[in-house]
Amino acid sequence: MSPINLISTLLMTRYFYKSLLIFVLVFSTVCSFGQSLIKDDLIKNDSKISSLKFGVNYLSNSVFMGRSDTVRIPVITPNIKYTFRSGIFVAGSLDYLPNSKSKELASGDLSAGYDFDLTDNLDGSVSFTKSFYNTKSPLIASSQSALVNVSLNYDFGKIITPSLSADYVFNKQGDKNDIFLSASLSHAFIATSLFNAKDILIISPAATLNTGTQNFYDSFLVNKKGKNEAKTASLNKLMAAKRDDLAKFKVLDYEFSVPVEYKIKHFIFTLTPTYSIAQNKLPEDISTELSNKSKLFNLEMGIALKF
């Protein structure tokens, strides 16, 4: 049995939590052999000053909790963020779909939040995001109108960093809201002075487990994919039988990513390949308008200026 099939089997059995604990121990042991070339304090010190950051990201395919459309949807996202010295921040972004026939903006969002350090090893963030979606947006998350996020990260002796994140998502009027909980493990390998006396390279391999409800399906499939009254009525009938199931808390997907960040002077270059494996997808008679692939790969790259 391949490693991917083995992990999938473990997640779907009653021994999931025991398997997750074993995974944490093994991952911690492996990471303990990797040693950062400089102290992580360089990253924390960089966040204790006021800063303005703006840039643009390119995503090869829009994937939400392991779900994607039947066609590949690349996304270009210009974004801006201002962080005060206190840790309070405000940010905004726009999503443009270069392959869209309408050539219109698909979505945008405005957010405000607070980054904080509780101890030398424990930090976190709270934020509120208001989302705006074009009525023709093909993005699966387009049922969302706003969300509240709380996240915590703990650095275990600069060996491994477990993270927990909780989202309460407000879906559009008439749809039930969603709750997402995510747990991840990561380790940052850091190197300096590669090409310049003040440059920094950070590579942070991570494994993430996403869980939650799936009410977002309702609005997306009925409102976005129902192209005529007959199809909308048909989808409504199919979804009515599944709405109680969508409100149940389940494993949605697990992801493996390797974020790479290179900083030189005011420039920040990022590259993040992500491999996601979806769980508990809807039956094919309902999700025919979505991709039937449960294993997806996407790539995000970006460039930003920070002052």
Side-chain angles (χ1 to χ4, degrees), residues 99-134:
N99 291 355
S100 172
K101 293 181 180 180
S102 64
K103 304 299 180 184
E104 297 177 349
L105 291 173
S107 63
D109 63 61
L110 295 172
S111 61
Y114 176 57
D115 293 327
F116 54 86
D117 293 330
L118 293 176
T119 69
D120 289 340
N121 296 325
L122 179 63
D123 62 77
S125 176
V126 294
S127 64
F128 173 81
T129 300
K130 175 61 179 176
S131 301
F132 307 90
Y133 285 92
N134 187 310

PDB file of all heavy atoms in Angstrom, residues 99-134:
ATOM      1  N   ASN A  99      -8.523  33.666 -16.840  1.00  0.00           N
ATOM      2  CA  ASN A  99      -9.177  32.813 -17.845  1.00  0.00           C
ATOM      3  C   ASN A  99     -10.675  33.071 -17.961  1.00  0.00           C
ATOM      4  O   ASN A  99     -11.355  32.416 -18.750  1.00  0.00           O
ATOM      5  CB  ASN A  99      -8.957  31.335 -17.507  1.00  0.00           C
ATOM      6  CG  ASN A  99      -7.504  30.923 -17.686  1.00  0.00           C
ATOM      7  OD1 ASN A  99      -6.676  31.695 -18.144  1.00  0.00           O
ATOM      8  ND2 ASN A  99      -7.188  29.694 -17.317  1.00  0.00           N
ATOM      9  N   SER A 100     -11.183  34.010 -17.161  1.00  0.00           N
ATOM     10  CA  SER A 100     -12.617  34.285 -17.180  1.00  0.00           C
ATOM     11  C   SER A 100     -13.026  35.015 -18.459  1.00  0.00           C
ATOM     12  O   SER A 100     -12.338  35.936 -18.909  1.00  0.00           O
ATOM     13  CB  SER A 100     -12.999  35.138 -15.963  1.00  0.00           C
ATOM     14  OG  SER A 100     -14.334  35.567 -16.041  1.00  0.00           O
ATOM     15  N   LYS A 101     -14.148  34.610 -19.045  1.00  0.00           N
ATOM     16  CA  LYS A 101     -14.627  35.262 -20.263  1.00  0.00           C
ATOM     17  C   LYS A 101     -15.096  36.680 -19.995  1.00  0.00           C
ATOM     18  O   LYS A 101     -14.964  37.571 -20.829  1.00  0.00           O
ATOM     19  CB  LYS A 101     -15.781  34.442 -20.862  1.00  0.00           C
ATOM     20  CG  LYS A 101     -15.354  33.079 -21.388  1.00  0.00           C
ATOM     21  CD  LYS A 101     -16.539  32.337 -21.997  1.00  0.00           C
ATOM     22  CE  LYS A 101     -16.118  30.969 -22.524  1.00  0.00           C
ATOM     23  NZ  LYS A 101     -17.261  30.223 -23.113  1.00  0.00           N
ATOM     24  N   SER A 102     -15.654  36.914 -18.797  1.00  0.00           N
ATOM     25  CA  SER A 102     -16.188  38.239 -18.477  1.00  0.00           C
ATOM     26  C   SER A 102     -15.095  39.249 -18.167  1.00  0.00           C
ATOM     27  O   SER A 102     -15.329  40.458 -18.219  1.00  0.00           O
ATOM     28  CB  SER A 102     -17.143  38.145 -17.283  1.00  0.00           C
ATOM     29  OG  SER A 102     -16.434  37.732 -16.125  1.00  0.00           O
ATOM     30  N   LYS A 103     -13.903  38.760 -17.806  1.00  0.00           N
ATOM     31  CA  LYS A 103     -12.770  39.632 -17.456  1.00  0.00           C
ATOM     32  C   LYS A 103     -13.094  40.565 -16.289  1.00  0.00           C
ATOM     33  O   LYS A 103     -12.523  41.652 -16.163  1.00  0.00           O
ATOM     34  CB  LYS A 103     -12.330  40.468 -18.674  1.00  0.00           C
ATOM     35  CG  LYS A 103     -11.971  39.656 -19.899  1.00  0.00           C
ATOM     36  CD  LYS A 103     -10.809  38.719 -19.640  1.00  0.00           C
ATOM     37  CE  LYS A 103     -10.460  37.904 -20.886  1.00  0.00           C
ATOM     38  NZ  LYS A 103      -9.380  36.919 -20.634  1.00  0.00           N
ATOM     39  N   GLU A 104     -14.009  40.137 -15.427  1.00  0.00           N
ATOM     40  CA  GLU A 104     -14.377  40.941 -14.272  1.00  0.00           C
ATOM     41  C   GLU A 104     -13.670  40.422 -13.019  1.00  0.00           C
ATOM     42  O   GLU A 104     -13.197  39.286 -12.982  1.00  0.00           O
ATOM     43  CB  GLU A 104     -15.893  40.904 -14.060  1.00  0.00           C
ATOM     44  CG  GLU A 104     -16.699  41.491 -15.192  1.00  0.00           C
ATOM     45  CD  GLU A 104     -18.195  41.368 -14.961  1.00  0.00           C
ATOM     46  OE1 GLU A 104     -18.584  40.642 -14.022  1.00  0.00           O
ATOM     47  OE2 GLU A 104     -18.968  41.985 -15.706  1.00  0.00           O
ATOM     48  N   LEU A 105     -13.626  41.270 -11.987  1.00  0.00           N
ATOM     49  CA  LEU A 105     -13.082  40.831 -10.707  1.00  0.00           C
ATOM     50  C   LEU A 105     -14.007  39.779 -10.103  1.00  0.00           C
ATOM     51  O   LEU A 105     -15.221  39.948 -10.089  1.00  0.00           O
ATOM     52  CB  LEU A 105     -12.938  42.011  -9.754  1.00  0.00           C
ATOM     53  CG  LEU A 105     -11.861  43.044 -10.108  1.00  0.00           C
ATOM     54  CD1 LEU A 105     -11.958  44.236  -9.155  1.00  0.00           C
ATOM     55  CD2 LEU A 105     -10.471  42.429 -10.029  1.00  0.00           C
ATOM     56  N   ALA A 106     -13.425  38.687  -9.618  1.00  0.00           N
ATOM     57  CA  ALA A 106     -14.238  37.601  -9.059  1.00  0.00           C
ATOM     58  C   ALA A 106     -14.623  37.874  -7.618  1.00  0.00           C
ATOM     59  O   ALA A 106     -15.715  37.512  -7.179  1.00  0.00           O
ATOM     60  CB  ALA A 106     -13.489  36.282  -9.157  1.00  0.00           C
ATOM     61  N   SER A 107     -13.712  38.513  -6.875  1.00  0.00           N
ATOM     62  CA  SER A 107     -13.985  38.749  -5.458  1.00  0.00           C
ATOM     63  C   SER A 107     -12.989  39.743  -4.886  1.00  0.00           C
ATOM     64  O   SER A 107     -12.014  40.130  -5.528  1.00  0.00           O
ATOM     65  CB  SER A 107     -13.920  37.433  -4.662  1.00  0.00           C
ATOM     66  OG  SER A 107     -12.613  36.888  -4.713  1.00  0.00           O
ATOM     67  N   GLY A 108     -13.237  40.116  -3.633  1.00  0.00           N
ATOM     68  CA  GLY A 108     -12.333  40.986  -2.895  1.00  0.00           C
ATOM     69  C   GLY A 108     -12.647  40.865  -1.421  1.00  0.00           C
ATOM     70  O   GLY A 108     -13.705  40.347  -1.033  1.00  0.00           O
ATOM     71  N   ASP A 109     -11.741  41.322  -0.586  1.00  0.00           N
ATOM     72  CA  ASP A 109     -12.022  41.287   0.849  1.00  0.00           C
ATOM     73  C   ASP A 109     -11.279  42.385   1.579  1.00  0.00           C
ATOM     74  O   ASP A 109     -10.247  42.885   1.122  1.00  0.00           O
ATOM     75  CB  ASP A 109     -11.688  39.912   1.454  1.00  0.00           C
ATOM     76  CG  ASP A 109     -10.213  39.566   1.359  1.00  0.00           C
ATOM     77  OD1 ASP A 109      -9.371  40.292   1.934  1.00  0.00           O
ATOM     78  OD2 ASP A 109      -9.874  38.554   0.713  1.00  0.00           O
ATOM     79  N   LEU A 110     -11.838  42.760   2.719  1.00  0.00           N
ATOM     80  CA  LEU A 110     -11.232  43.714   3.631  1.00  0.00           C
ATOM     81  C   LEU A 110     -11.146  43.050   4.997  1.00  0.00           C
ATOM     82  O   LEU A 110     -12.102  42.400   5.428  1.00  0.00           O
ATOM     83  CB  LEU A 110     -12.067  44.994   3.726  1.00  0.00           C
ATOM     84  CG  LEU A 110     -12.183  45.839   2.451  1.00  0.00           C
ATOM     85  CD1 LEU A 110     -13.204  46.963   2.668  1.00  0.00           C
ATOM     86  CD2 LEU A 110     -10.831  46.424   2.059  1.00  0.00           C
ATOM     87  N   SER A 111     -10.028  43.185   5.670  1.00  0.00           N
ATOM     88  CA  SER A 111      -9.881  42.528   6.969  1.00  0.00           C
ATOM     89  C   SER A 111      -9.156  43.423   7.954  1.00  0.00           C
ATOM     90  O   SER A 111      -8.408  44.332   7.572  1.00  0.00           O
ATOM     91  CB  SER A 111      -9.134  41.201   6.821  1.00  0.00           C
ATOM     92  OG  SER A 111      -7.831  41.401   6.295  1.00  0.00           O
ATOM     93  N   ALA A 112      -9.388  43.160   9.222  1.00  0.00           N
ATOM     94  CA  ALA A 112      -8.700  43.846  10.311  1.00  0.00           C
ATOM     95  C   ALA A 112      -8.450  42.821  11.404  1.00  0.00           C
ATOM     96  O   ALA A 112      -9.257  41.910  11.612  1.00  0.00           O
ATOM     97  CB  ALA A 112      -9.543  45.000  10.845  1.00  0.00           C
ATOM     98  N   GLY A 113      -7.316  42.965  12.082  1.00  0.00           N
ATOM     99  CA  GLY A 113      -7.003  41.969  13.104  1.00  0.00           C
ATOM    100  C   GLY A 113      -5.882  42.402  14.012  1.00  0.00           C
ATOM    101  O   GLY A 113      -5.434  43.556  13.982  1.00  0.00           O
ATOM    102  N   TYR A 114      -5.421  41.455  14.806  1.00  0.00           N
ATOM    103  CA  TYR A 114      -4.389  41.738  15.807  1.00  0.00           C
ATOM    104  C   TYR A 114      -3.465  40.530  15.932  1.00  0.00           C
ATOM    105  O   TYR A 114      -3.912  39.413  16.217  1.00  0.00           O
ATOM    106  CB  TYR A 114      -5.052  42.049  17.150  1.00  0.00           C
ATOM    107  CG  TYR A 114      -4.089  42.257  18.302  1.00  0.00           C
ATOM    108  CD1 TYR A 114      -3.086  43.226  18.234  1.00  0.00           C
ATOM    109  CD2 TYR A 114      -4.188  41.494  19.462  1.00  0.00           C
ATOM    110  CE1 TYR A 114      -2.213  43.424  19.287  1.00  0.00           C
ATOM    111  CE2 TYR A 114      -3.317  41.681  20.529  1.00  0.00           C
ATOM    112  CZ  TYR A 114      -2.329  42.651  20.436  1.00  0.00           C
ATOM    113  OH  TYR A 114      -1.455  42.834  21.477  1.00  0.00           O
ATOM    114  N   ASP A 115      -2.180  40.747  15.680  1.00  0.00           N
ATOM    115  CA  ASP A 115      -1.154  39.722  15.900  1.00  0.00           C
ATOM    116  C   ASP A 115      -0.531  39.943  17.278  1.00  0.00           C
ATOM    117  O   ASP A 115      -0.194  41.078  17.628  1.00  0.00           O
ATOM    118  CB  ASP A 115      -0.058  39.813  14.833  1.00  0.00           C
ATOM    119  CG  ASP A 115      -0.569  39.443  13.451  1.00  0.00           C
ATOM    120  OD1 ASP A 115      -1.457  38.591  13.368  1.00  0.00           O
ATOM    121  OD2 ASP A 115      -0.077  40.025  12.458  1.00  0.00           O
ATOM    122  N   PHE A 116      -0.365  38.870  18.058  1.00  0.00           N
ATOM    123  CA  PHE A 116       0.131  39.058  19.424  1.00  0.00           C
ATOM    124  C   PHE A 116       1.089  37.933  19.812  1.00  0.00           C
ATOM    125  O   PHE A 116       1.059  36.836  19.257  1.00  0.00           O
ATOM    126  CB  PHE A 116      -1.041  39.099  20.412  1.00  0.00           C
ATOM    127  CG  PHE A 116      -1.954  37.897  20.319  1.00  0.00           C
ATOM    128  CD1 PHE A 116      -1.685  36.727  21.018  1.00  0.00           C
ATOM    129  CD2 PHE A 116      -3.104  37.941  19.519  1.00  0.00           C
ATOM    130  CE1 PHE A 116      -2.527  35.625  20.931  1.00  0.00           C
ATOM    131  CE2 PHE A 116      -3.950  36.837  19.418  1.00  0.00           C
ATOM    132  CZ  PHE A 116      -3.656  35.677  20.134  1.00  0.00           C
ATOM    133  N   ASP A 117       1.935  38.237  20.793  1.00  0.00           N
ATOM    134  CA  ASP A 117       2.836  37.260  21.406  1.00  0.00           C
ATOM    135  C   ASP A 117       2.407  37.086  22.858  1.00  0.00           C
ATOM    136  O   ASP A 117       2.409  38.042  23.631  1.00  0.00           O
ATOM    137  CB  ASP A 117       4.293  37.739  21.361  1.00  0.00           C
ATOM    138  CG  ASP A 117       4.835  37.811  19.941  1.00  0.00           C
ATOM    139  OD1 ASP A 117       4.377  37.007  19.109  1.00  0.00           O
ATOM    140  OD2 ASP A 117       5.697  38.669  19.662  1.00  0.00           O
ATOM    141  N   LEU A 118       2.047  35.863  23.239  1.00  0.00           N
ATOM    142  CA  LEU A 118       1.671  35.593  24.623  1.00  0.00           C
ATOM    143  C   LEU A 118       2.898  35.246  25.467  1.00  0.00           C
ATOM    144  O   LEU A 118       2.999  35.642  26.625  1.00  0.00           O
ATOM    145  CB  LEU A 118       0.655  34.448  24.671  1.00  0.00           C
ATOM    146  CG  LEU A 118      -0.712  34.758  24.053  1.00  0.00           C
ATOM    147  CD1 LEU A 118      -1.596  33.522  24.071  1.00  0.00           C
ATOM    148  CD2 LEU A 118      -1.392  35.913  24.796  1.00  0.00           C
ATOM    149  N   THR A 119       3.824  34.480  24.891  1.00  0.00           N
ATOM    150  CA  THR A 119       5.099  34.150  25.523  1.00  0.00           C
ATOM    151  C   THR A 119       6.172  34.167  24.441  1.00  0.00           C
ATOM    152  O   THR A 119       5.881  34.454  23.274  1.00  0.00           O
ATOM    153  CB  THR A 119       5.066  32.762  26.200  1.00  0.00           C
ATOM    154  OG1 THR A 119       4.979  31.754  25.182  1.00  0.00           O
ATOM    155  CG2 THR A 119       3.866  32.628  27.143  1.00  0.00           C
ATOM    156  N   ASP A 120       7.403  33.820  24.807  1.00  0.00           N
ATOM    157  CA  ASP A 120       8.470  33.763  23.820  1.00  0.00           C
ATOM    158  C   ASP A 120       8.200  32.692  22.765  1.00  0.00           C
ATOM    159  O   ASP A 120       8.674  32.795  21.631  1.00  0.00           O
ATOM    160  CB  ASP A 120       9.813  33.463  24.502  1.00  0.00           C
ATOM    161  CG  ASP A 120      10.316  34.640  25.315  1.00  0.00           C
ATOM    162  OD1 ASP A 120       9.845  35.772  25.054  1.00  0.00           O
ATOM    163  OD2 ASP A 120      11.168  34.441  26.205  1.00  0.00           O
ATOM    164  N   ASN A 121       7.436  31.671  23.145  1.00  0.00           N
ATOM    165  CA  ASN A 121       7.189  30.555  22.225  1.00  0.00           C
ATOM    166  C   ASN A 121       5.768  30.493  21.671  1.00  0.00           C
ATOM    167  O   ASN A 121       5.509  29.742  20.737  1.00  0.00           O
ATOM    168  CB  ASN A 121       7.491  29.222  22.922  1.00  0.00           C
ATOM    169  CG  ASN A 121       8.955  29.084  23.287  1.00  0.00           C
ATOM    170  OD1 ASN A 121       9.826  29.548  22.565  1.00  0.00           O
ATOM    171  ND2 ASN A 121       9.216  28.449  24.415  1.00  0.00           N
ATOM    172  N   LEU A 122       4.856  31.252  22.290  1.00  0.00           N
ATOM    173  CA  LEU A 122       3.450  31.181  21.893  1.00  0.00           C
ATOM    174  C   LEU A 122       2.986  32.511  21.309  1.00  0.00           C
ATOM    175  O   LEU A 122       3.079  33.551  21.950  1.00  0.00           O
ATOM    176  CB  LEU A 122       2.590  30.823  23.108  1.00  0.00           C
ATOM    177  CG  LEU A 122       1.074  30.736  22.883  1.00  0.00           C
ATOM    178  CD1 LEU A 122       0.733  29.627  21.888  1.00  0.00           C
ATOM    179  CD2 LEU A 122       0.358  30.510  24.219  1.00  0.00           C
ATOM    180  N   ASP A 123       2.496  32.470  20.077  1.00  0.00           N
ATOM    181  CA  ASP A 123       1.939  33.667  19.448  1.00  0.00           C
ATOM    182  C   ASP A 123       0.634  33.305  18.762  1.00  0.00           C
ATOM    183  O   ASP A 123       0.292  32.129  18.596  1.00  0.00           O
ATOM    184  CB  ASP A 123       2.929  34.268  18.437  1.00  0.00           C
ATOM    185  CG  ASP A 123       3.255  33.321  17.300  1.00  0.00           C
ATOM    186  OD1 ASP A 123       2.418  33.179  16.392  1.00  0.00           O
ATOM    187  OD2 ASP A 123       4.345  32.714  17.305  1.00  0.00           O
ATOM    188  N   GLY A 124      -0.109  34.334  18.379  1.00  0.00           N
ATOM    189  CA  GLY A 124      -1.399  34.074  17.771  1.00  0.00           C
ATOM    190  C   GLY A 124      -1.940  35.275  17.024  1.00  0.00           C
ATOM    191  O   GLY A 124      -1.267  36.304  16.881  1.00  0.00           O
ATOM    192  N   SER A 125      -3.166  35.139  16.546  1.00  0.00           N
ATOM    193  CA  SER A 125      -3.787  36.203  15.767  1.00  0.00           C
ATOM    194  C   SER A 125      -5.302  36.077  15.846  1.00  0.00           C
ATOM    195  O   SER A 125      -5.835  34.962  15.943  1.00  0.00           O
ATOM    196  CB  SER A 125      -3.335  36.110  14.308  1.00  0.00           C
ATOM    197  OG  SER A 125      -3.985  37.065  13.497  1.00  0.00           O
ATOM    198  N   VAL A 126      -5.994  37.208  15.847  1.00  0.00           N
ATOM    199  CA  VAL A 126      -7.450  37.241  15.711  1.00  0.00           C
ATOM    200  C   VAL A 126      -7.779  38.227  14.596  1.00  0.00           C
ATOM    201  O   VAL A 126      -7.111  39.258  14.456  1.00  0.00           O
ATOM    202  CB  VAL A 126      -8.160  37.656  17.023  1.00  0.00           C
ATOM    203  CG1 VAL A 126      -7.955  36.610  18.097  1.00  0.00           C
ATOM    204  CG2 VAL A 126      -7.658  39.020  17.501  1.00  0.00           C
ATOM    205  N   SER A 127      -8.788  37.923  13.791  1.00  0.00           N
ATOM    206  CA  SER A 127      -9.110  38.817  12.683  1.00  0.00           C
ATOM    207  C   SER A 127     -10.561  38.667  12.251  1.00  0.00           C
ATOM    208  O   SER A 127     -11.210  37.644  12.519  1.00  0.00           O
ATOM    209  CB  SER A 127      -8.190  38.538  11.489  1.00  0.00           C
ATOM    210  OG  SER A 127      -8.402  37.229  10.982  1.00  0.00           O
ATOM    211  N   PHE A 128     -11.039  39.694  11.571  1.00  0.00           N
ATOM    212  CA  PHE A 128     -12.367  39.679  10.966  1.00  0.00           C
ATOM    213  C   PHE A 128     -12.204  40.060   9.503  1.00  0.00           C
ATOM    214  O   PHE A 128     -11.520  41.043   9.175  1.00  0.00           O
ATOM    215  CB  PHE A 128     -13.309  40.662  11.658  1.00  0.00           C
ATOM    216  CG  PHE A 128     -14.645  40.798  10.954  1.00  0.00           C
ATOM    217  CD1 PHE A 128     -15.645  39.854  11.151  1.00  0.00           C
ATOM    218  CD2 PHE A 128     -14.888  41.855  10.079  1.00  0.00           C
ATOM    219  CE1 PHE A 128     -16.873  39.968  10.509  1.00  0.00           C
ATOM    220  CE2 PHE A 128     -16.109  41.976   9.431  1.00  0.00           C
ATOM    221  CZ  PHE A 128     -17.107  41.021   9.642  1.00  0.00           C
ATOM    222  N   THR A 129     -12.819  39.303   8.619  1.00  0.00           N
ATOM    223  CA  THR A 129     -12.712  39.552   7.185  1.00  0.00           C
ATOM    224  C   THR A 129     -14.102  39.669   6.562  1.00  0.00           C
ATOM    225  O   THR A 129     -14.959  38.805   6.776  1.00  0.00           O
ATOM    226  CB  THR A 129     -11.940  38.420   6.483  1.00  0.00           C
ATOM    227  OG1 THR A 129     -10.624  38.328   7.023  1.00  0.00           O
ATOM    228  CG2 THR A 129     -11.844  38.679   4.980  1.00  0.00           C
ATOM    229  N   LYS A 130     -14.308  40.725   5.808  1.00  0.00           N
ATOM    230  CA  LYS A 130     -15.544  40.916   5.052  1.00  0.00           C
ATOM    231  C   LYS A 130     -15.252  40.615   3.587  1.00  0.00           C
ATOM    232  O   LYS A 130     -14.355  41.217   2.994  1.00  0.00           O
ATOM    233  CB  LYS A 130     -16.056  42.352   5.209  1.00  0.00           C
ATOM    234  CG  LYS A 130     -17.278  42.673   4.357  1.00  0.00           C
ATOM    235  CD  LYS A 130     -18.477  41.800   4.692  1.00  0.00           C
ATOM    236  CE  LYS A 130     -19.688  42.160   3.833  1.00  0.00           C
ATOM    237  NZ  LYS A 130     -20.844  41.256   4.067  1.00  0.00           N
ATOM    238  N   SER A 131     -16.002  39.678   3.015  1.00  0.00           N
ATOM    239  CA  SER A 131     -15.756  39.254   1.638  1.00  0.00           C
ATOM    240  C   SER A 131     -16.811  39.802   0.684  1.00  0.00           C
ATOM    241  O   SER A 131     -17.979  39.966   1.056  1.00  0.00           O
ATOM    242  CB  SER A 131     -15.747  37.722   1.550  1.00  0.00           C
ATOM    243  OG  SER A 131     -14.752  37.165   2.390  1.00  0.00           O
ATOM    244  N   PHE A 132     -16.375  40.075  -0.537  1.00  0.00           N
ATOM    245  CA  PHE A 132     -17.267  40.572  -1.583  1.00  0.00           C
ATOM    246  C   PHE A 132     -17.054  39.706  -2.828  1.00  0.00           C
ATOM    247  O   PHE A 132     -15.934  39.605  -3.330  1.00  0.00           O
ATOM    248  CB  PHE A 132     -16.968  42.035  -1.914  1.00  0.00           C
ATOM    249  CG  PHE A 132     -16.976  42.942  -0.710  1.00  0.00           C
ATOM    250  CD1 PHE A 132     -15.813  43.167   0.013  1.00  0.00           C
ATOM    251  CD2 PHE A 132     -18.153  43.558  -0.301  1.00  0.00           C
ATOM    252  CE1 PHE A 132     -15.808  44.004   1.115  1.00  0.00           C
ATOM    253  CE2 PHE A 132     -18.155  44.395   0.807  1.00  0.00           C
ATOM    254  CZ  PHE A 132     -16.991  44.620   1.520  1.00  0.00           C
ATOM    255  N   TYR A 133     -18.111  39.065  -3.314  1.00  0.00           N
ATOM    256  CA  TYR A 133     -18.004  38.188  -4.472  1.00  0.00           C
ATOM    257  C   TYR A 133     -18.886  38.676  -5.612  1.00  0.00           C
ATOM    258  O   TYR A 133     -20.030  39.081  -5.397  1.00  0.00           O
ATOM    259  CB  TYR A 133     -18.401  36.754  -4.109  1.00  0.00           C
ATOM    260  CG  TYR A 133     -17.354  36.021  -3.317  1.00  0.00           C
ATOM    261  CD1 TYR A 133     -17.377  36.035  -1.924  1.00  0.00           C
ATOM    262  CD2 TYR A 133     -16.330  35.323  -3.948  1.00  0.00           C
ATOM    263  CE1 TYR A 133     -16.412  35.363  -1.182  1.00  0.00           C
ATOM    264  CE2 TYR A 133     -15.365  34.645  -3.218  1.00  0.00           C
ATOM    265  CZ  TYR A 133     -15.418  34.670  -1.840  1.00  0.00           C
ATOM    266  OH  TYR A 133     -14.449  34.016  -1.100  1.00  0.00           O
ATOM    267  N   ASN A 134     -18.361  38.619  -6.808  1.00  0.00           N
ATOM    268  CA  ASN A 134     -19.146  38.872  -8.005  1.00  0.00           C
ATOM    269  C   ASN A 134     -20.235  37.805  -8.098  1.00  0.00           C
ATOM    270  O   ASN A 134     -20.013  36.640  -7.772  1.00  0.00           O
ATOM    271  CB  ASN A 134     -18.218  38.787  -9.230  1.00  0.00           C
ATOM    272  CG  ASN A 134     -18.906  39.197 -10.516  1.00  0.00           C
ATOM    273  OD1 ASN A 134     -19.989  38.731 -10.832  1.00  0.00           O
ATOM    274  ND2 ASN A 134     -18.252  40.065 -11.268  1.00  0.00           N
TER     275      ASN A 134
END
